Amino acid sequence: MSTAEADLETEVRRLRIRIIGLNPRQLAEAGPNSPQTGAGMLSRRDTIAEALAQFSSIGSGGRPVPDLGDQSLADQVVVLIEDGMASSADLPETQRQESLELLLDAAIRLRRSLA
């Protein structure tokens, strides 16, 4: 297992705990580290939705991510990251590392944005 894979597994655990710990009110609010858009700060829910789309574009061919509700957000994050890790296994080593690093960077940004 590479360092990036081990770090991704750690981020998956952290994200699952962080997302599960958010109640509906907190999901609707912008976090102190939420990304800024032209319309203002993104809610935590929207931040997660954007991250889901990014995880999908990195490891799942950009397939649309369905809105399954707040109760499924943590599971969706985990599944898309793990799917990206699995799909990178078939790539040449250089591309595999790039893909894993992209997933890791996106996962870390999401976790920090949800703080």
Side-chain angles (χ1 to χ4, degrees):
M1 178 179 298
S2 72
T3 303
E5 287 174 307
D7 291 346
L8 260 171
E9 288 183 5
T10 299
E11 284 303 317
V12 165
R13 285 190 299 274
R14 289 176 177 168
L15 280 167
R16 178 183 276 287
I17 291 166
R18 174 125 340 134
I19 294 169
I20 288 172
L22 296 171
N23 63 42
R25 181 186 53 78
Q26 291 169 319
L27 284 167
E29 296 172 345
N33 300 319
S34 291
Q36 184 84 0
T37 67
M41 301 281 277
L42 287 179
S43 70
R44 287 182 178 102
R45 185 179 290 114
D46 292 337
T47 300
I48 295 169
E50 281 193 356
L52 289 171
Q54 186 175 15
F55 295 143
S56 177
S57 72
I58 294 168
S60 300
R63 287 179 280 180
V65 180
D67 180 356
L68 301 177
D70 292 350
Q71 298 300 321
S72 297
L73 289 173
D75 292 333
Q76 286 181 291
V77 166
V78 170
V79 166
L80 284 171
I81 292 174
E82 288 179 349
D83 187 49
M85 290 173 66
S87 69
S88 72
D90 297 332
L91 299 173
E93 187 58 32
T94 306
Q95 289 177 316
R96 181 175 179 275
Q97 277 305 118
E98 285 178 22
S99 179
L100 292 172
E101 290 294 329
L102 286 171
L103 282 169
L104 180 60
D105 289 343
I108 290 170
R109 269 194 315 277
L110 174 59
R111 182 176 46 83
R112 290 178 179 162
S113 295
L114 296 177

